[in-house]
Amino acid sequence: MSQTEETLAVPVAELRPSLEAVLMVADQPLDAVALASAVGYPVAEVNAALAGLAEEYTEQGRGFELRNVAGGWRFYTREEYAVVVEGFVLEGQQARLTQAALETLAVVAYKQPVSRARVSAIRGVNVDGVMRTLLTRGLVEEAGQDHETGANLYRTTGYFLERIGVTSLDDLPELAPYLPDMADLEDELESVAAAGSQPEPGPGGEPSPEPGPGTEPSPEPGPGTVPTPEPGPGTEPGGGTEPFDTPRASATQEPPA
């Protein structure tokens, strides 16, 4: 294919600014043919313009330069400003994660692959914003979709392992030492169960005793028996009084049936 076929029929803009605009958004080096096709100029003119731009940036002492590396052109920062660039990049990578981000990252690490909804359910809060932060930091990545719900699944990355200083997920610390002691859980469950099984209080505030095995219900008073008197006006209600003694039957009374 000829060079003229690699270019547009009519240039869409001035050559040098067009080259700068394309190179600014390029994520890899571009050769002269690709650039000529993008800006609509012959390859020879593009090569001349690229060389002129590179020389111009050097003369002006810019913080970046245009270099032809491995057959492609691309913008690079100048070596003498490497310290400034390094400080900026490392500051962003070493920024501390918030407590919410650390908790979310821990859930992903131990439950992966896991969906956002599952992480939110475990933490009890919405984690969409925190997950975006972890994705941007390169600590978490997508790991396909759940076959049942279709939700995106997430897992930790190799960079995560590098940052925490382990070689694989098998090296993550066990969670058992950080969980509550089972004896403490059993004691708490027993206390809750005991509180729920206590009998309802009686009229006087004391719990009504449950009839034990083998006990007979109180018999109905038969003919000739004397009923137990009610407390008099000077007594306190309920369990605040001493029990009354049942009066003895008189000599003329017949024994209970």
Side-chain angles (χ1 to χ4, degrees), residues 9-10 18 20 22 36 50 60 64 67 73 103-105 115-116 157 160 168 170-171 184 188 206 220 239 248 250-251:
V10 179
S18 298
E20 290 176 327
V22 173
L50 290 170
Q60 294 176 354
F64 59 91
R67 285 189 284 172
W73 293 85
E103 293 177 3
T104 302
L105 184 58
S115 65
R116 289 190 185 188
T157 63
F160 163 76
S168 70
D170 296 334
D171 296 332
D184 297 337
E188 184 175 353
E206 294 294 330
E220 295 293 331
R248 298 179 181 274
S250 63

Side-chain angles (χ1 to χ4, degrees), residues 2-92:
S2 65
Q3 293 182 353
T4 56
E5 293 177 350
E6 292 288 341
T7 61
L8 298 178
V10 179
V12 295
E14 295 184 20
L15 178 55
R16 285 196 173 191
S18 298
L19 290 172
E20 290 176 327
V22 173
L23 289 169
M24 189 66 66
V25 298
D27 57 356
Q28 60 185 359
L30 300 176
D31 58 25
V33 175
L35 289 170
S37 177
V39 299
Y41 283 85
V43 175
E45 293 185 31
V46 169
N47 275 324
L50 290 170
L53 286 173
E55 184 178 353
E56 179 180 324
Y57 297 149
T58 301
E59 291 176 354
Q60 294 176 354
R62 299 290 185 90
F64 59 91
E65 59 182 338
L66 182 60
R67 285 189 284 172
N68 185 2
V69 178
W73 293 85
R74 190 179 185 184
F75 284 124
Y76 294 88
T77 57
R78 292 194 181 274
E79 185 177 356
E80 52 265 39
Y81 301 105
V83 176
V84 178
V85 176
E86 181 181 2
F88 171 76
V89 174
L90 292 181
E91 181 181 0

Side-chain angles (χ1 to χ4, degrees), residues 192-232:
V192 172
S197 62
Q198 288 183 355
E200 295 292 332
E206 294 294 330
S208 302
E210 297 290 334
T215 56
E216 297 292 334
S218 300
E220 295 293 331
T225 59
V226 179
T228 302
E230 297 294 329

Side-chain angles (χ1 to χ4, degrees), residues 201-207 230-232 234-244:
E206 294 294 330
E230 297 294 329
T235 60
E236 294 181 356
T241 60
E242 294 294 332
F244 281 83

Side-chain angles (χ1 to χ4, degrees), residues 46-185:
V46 169
N47 275 324
L50 290 170
L53 286 173
E55 184 178 353
E56 179 180 324
Y57 297 149
T58 301
E59 291 176 354
Q60 294 176 354
R62 299 290 185 90
F64 59 91
E65 59 182 338
L66 182 60
R67 285 189 284 172
N68 185 2
V69 178
W73 293 85
R74 190 179 185 184
F75 284 124
Y76 294 88
T77 57
R78 292 194 181 274
E79 185 177 356
E80 52 265 39
Y81 301 105
V83 176
V84 178
V85 176
E86 181 181 2
F88 171 76
V89 174
L90 292 181
E91 181 181 0
Q93 291 183 349
Q94 294 178 351
R96 296 179 61 86
L97 294 173
T98 63
Q99 183 66 26
L102 289 173
E103 293 177 3
T104 302
L105 184 58
V107 173
V108 175
Y110 283 97
K111 292 291 186 180
Q112 60 183 307
V114 63
S115 65
R116 289 190 185 188
R118 179 60 177 162
V119 178
S120 296
I122 293 175
R123 290 203 56 227
V125 294
N126 186 287
V127 298
D128 289 351
V130 178
M131 288 293 290
R132 284 194 294 270
T133 298
L134 297 177
L135 286 166
T136 302
R137 295 286 185 89
L139 298 168
V140 170
E141 64 184 0
E142 293 188 1
Q145 293 182 329
D146 186 271
H147 297 297
E148 296 181 357
T149 63
N152 290 332
L153 300 176
Y154 297 90
R155 65 188 176 194
T156 54
T157 63
Y159 178 65
F160 163 76
L161 297 177
E162 178 185 342
R163 295 295 295 174
I164 66 174
V166 299
T167 57
S168 70
L169 296 175
D170 296 334
D171 296 332
L172 291 177
E174 295 290 337
L175 288 179
Y178 303 98
L179 296 176
D181 186 32
M182 291 303 297
D184 297 337
L185 288 177

